[in-house]
């Protein structure tokens, strides 16, 4: 009996939590679960390669994440970062915990020894029984940059500066996925998407976690060619982002910050988009009709991932939607 292949496309915080629900759902089925993760947040910081979304997903699956903050390690301390600040490094805007630094140092050493980010991520993940394979969407460096107005002058800053130092509270004109065209989806990520029995789009930020992945050549093609159904989970409930700043991000690019707006932004796979199905919350059930008009089969269930039980139930509902009778068999 061939193992069921389930692939999740995920950003950071919401992605890690959703990935845990999917892992729990298939725990007793020995499924081949692969999580393809956004790398647009990644940056060289204090000489170390920091990969926020890869770490959020890895730590969440390992059960060692700081579930309050949504990033970094539980039981963290910040002695090293205090020393860095004492030496006058302009690093205090981005908190690097001592345990978290262990990850960045190990990853940076691996990368400097010539491993790819995919290989380095496997090496780091092996420390825990994650129950899933964590894969960066690309091995290339494709930072998400943000065009802003700083002190009245236009500037292009790294996403993390925009997100953490400025809390997205400065005039913002757009997001740039620099060098995306020169990059390519990693072979492991392409295979994970193409030969999946089901592809799930986690309730991550559509603009700064999912869109950066779609900008990588080969990602849209892999989704379009996937043998499995593609089911997404809305990251917005009743017009409000579940967490993070999806509303600010949607406003920057003119996407309505609603379950319907994000679903139509992703688009129906039968029309060149990425979705076959879309999970919306019960308060957004009125979006089901308009989404069907757009070729997307939607279903409304409670989307709040309050705890492991509700997250597992959400994953189960998404998987169930994948077996819907097609509205029209998409031409592939
Ligand atoms: N987010 C913050 O709001 N403040 C921080 O100081 C911060 C530090 C940090 C360090 C490592 C890491 O992997 C993530 C960190 N984050 C921090 C979260 C990060 O900005 C977000 O997880 C994602 O980049 C947003 O998707």
């Amino acid at each position: 009996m061939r193992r069921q292949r389930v692939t999740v496309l995920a950003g950071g915080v919401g992605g890690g939590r959703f990935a845990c629900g999917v892992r729990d759902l298939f725990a007793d089925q020995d499924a081949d679960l692969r999580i393809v993760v956004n790398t647009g947040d990644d940056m060289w910081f204090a000489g170390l390669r920091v990969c926020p979304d890869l770490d959020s997903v890895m730590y969440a699956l390992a059960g060692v994440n700081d579930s309050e903050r949504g990033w970094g390690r539980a039981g963290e301390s910040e002695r090293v970062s205090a020393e860095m600040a004492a030496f006058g490094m302009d690093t205090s805007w981005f908190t690097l915990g001592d345990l978290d630094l262990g990850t960045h140092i190990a990853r940076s050493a691996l990368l400097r020894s010539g491993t790819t980010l995919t290989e380095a991520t496997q090496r780091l993940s092996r420390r825990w029984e994650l129950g899933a394979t964590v894969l960066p969407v690309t091995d290339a460096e494709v930072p998400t940059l943000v065009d802003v107005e700083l002190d009245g002058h236009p500037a292009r800053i790294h996403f993390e500066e925009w997100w953490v130092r400025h809390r997205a509270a400065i005039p913002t004109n757009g997001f740039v996925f620099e060098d995306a065209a020169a990059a390519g989806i990693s072979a492991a990520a392409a295979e994970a998407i193409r030969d999946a029995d089901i592809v799930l789009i986690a309730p991550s930020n559509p603009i700064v976690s999912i869109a950066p992945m779609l900008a990588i050549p080969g990602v849209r093609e892999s989704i379009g060619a996937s043998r499995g159904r593609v089911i997404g989970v809305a990251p917005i409930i009743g017009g409000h982002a579940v967490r993070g700043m999806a509303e600010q991000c949607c406003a920057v690019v003119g996407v309505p910050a609603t379950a319907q707006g994000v679903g139509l932004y992703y688009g129906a796979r039968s029309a060149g988009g990425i979705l076959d199905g879309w999970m919306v919350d019960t308060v957004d059930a009125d979006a089901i009709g308009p989404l069907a008009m757009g070729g997307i089969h939607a279903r409304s269930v409670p989307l709040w991932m309050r705890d492991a039980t509700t997250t597992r139930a959400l994953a189960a509902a998404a998987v169930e939607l994948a077996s819907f009778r097609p509205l029209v068999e998409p031409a592939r």
Side-chain angles (χ1 to χ4, degrees), residues 74-100:
E76 196 46 287
S77 53
E78 289 156 23
R79 297 187 65 192
V80 174
S81 62
E83 286 299 291
M84 291 160 72
F87 283 115
M89 293 179 75
D90 174 24
T91 52
S92 56
W93 64 274
F94 194 74
T95 305
L96 288 175
D98 297 323
L99 301 178
D100 197 33

Side-chain angles (χ1 to χ4, degrees), residues 41 52-53 56 71 93-96 100 159-160 163-164 167:
D41 299 2
D53 285 355
S56 287
W71 48 269
W93 64 274
F94 194 74
T95 305
L96 288 175
D100 197 33
F159 168 77
E160 289 296 342
W163 186 265
V164 178
R167 286 269 165 251

Side-chain angles (χ1 to χ4, degrees), residues 60-314:
L61 287 168
V64 298
N65 59 313
D66 178 331
S67 51
E68 279 311 302
R69 287 195 306 190
W71 48 269
R73 290 283 298 274
E76 196 46 287
S77 53
E78 289 156 23
R79 297 187 65 192
V80 174
S81 62
E83 286 299 291
M84 291 160 72
F87 283 115
M89 293 179 75
D90 174 24
T91 52
S92 56
W93 64 274
F94 194 74
T95 305
L96 288 175
D98 297 323
L99 301 178
D100 197 33
L101 274 165
T103 306
H104 309 317
I105 293 167
R107 176 189 292 119
S108 303
L110 286 165
L111 293 175
R112 287 201 174 97
S113 73
T115 69
T116 62
L117 183 58
T118 298
E119 292 156 356
T121 306
Q122 299 327 305
R123 291 278 294 276
L124 296 176
S125 304
R126 270 209 293 267
R127 169 179 171 185
W128 297 287
E129 283 300 312
L130 300 185
T133 303
V134 180
L135 298 167
V137 67
T138 179
D139 285 320
E141 294 185 13
V142 183
T144 297
L145 305 178
V146 191
D147 283 336
V148 298
E149 301 280 315
L150 263 188
D151 310 322
H153 302 294
R156 180 167 284 186
I157 60 177
H158 189 280
F159 168 77
E160 289 296 342
E161 279 219 61
W162 180 73
W163 186 265
V164 178
R165 200 200 278 261
H166 300 291
R167 286 269 165 251
I170 51 177
T172 304
N173 302 316
F175 301 102
V176 177
F177 310 127
E178 195 166 60
D179 308 331
I185 186 172
S186 68
E191 184 198 353
I193 295 170
R194 286 171 182 273
D195 74 5
D197 296 311
I198 179 171
V199 177
L200 298 170
I201 312 287
S204 299
N205 187 311
I207 311 304
V208 295
S209 294
I210 303 298
M213 291 200 267
L214 301 178
I216 304 287
V219 174
R220 282 186 177 276
E221 293 79 354
S222 298
I223 294 172
S226 178
R227 51 193 303 283
R229 280 266 171 75
V230 182
I231 307 296
V233 178
I236 292 179
I237 295 176
H240 296 290
V242 171
R243 66 178 298 148
M245 295 183 267
E247 287 150 87
Q248 289 94 314
C249 297
C250 285
V252 170
V253 297
V255 171
T258 63
Q260 177 180 323
V262 174
L264 294 175
Y265 166 68
Y266 283 157
R269 197 163 68 148
S270 55
I274 64 169
L275 293 180
D276 295 313
W278 185 238
M279 305 292 292
V280 302
D281 190 80
T282 46
V283 301
D284 295 313
D286 57 345
I288 291 176
L291 286 159
M293 299 292 285
I296 298 168
H297 195 100
R299 183 178 173 202
S300 73
V301 299
L303 287 194
W304 279 100
M305 299 188 286
R306 293 188 202 295
D307 51 29
T309 307
T310 48
T311 305
R312 188 186 187 284
L314 171 57

Side-chain angles (χ1 to χ4, degrees), residues 42-55:
D42 298 3
M43 62 177 172
W44 286 101
F45 187 83
L48 297 171
R49 191 68 182 160
V50 177
C51 302
D53 285 355
L54 280 168
D55 292 347

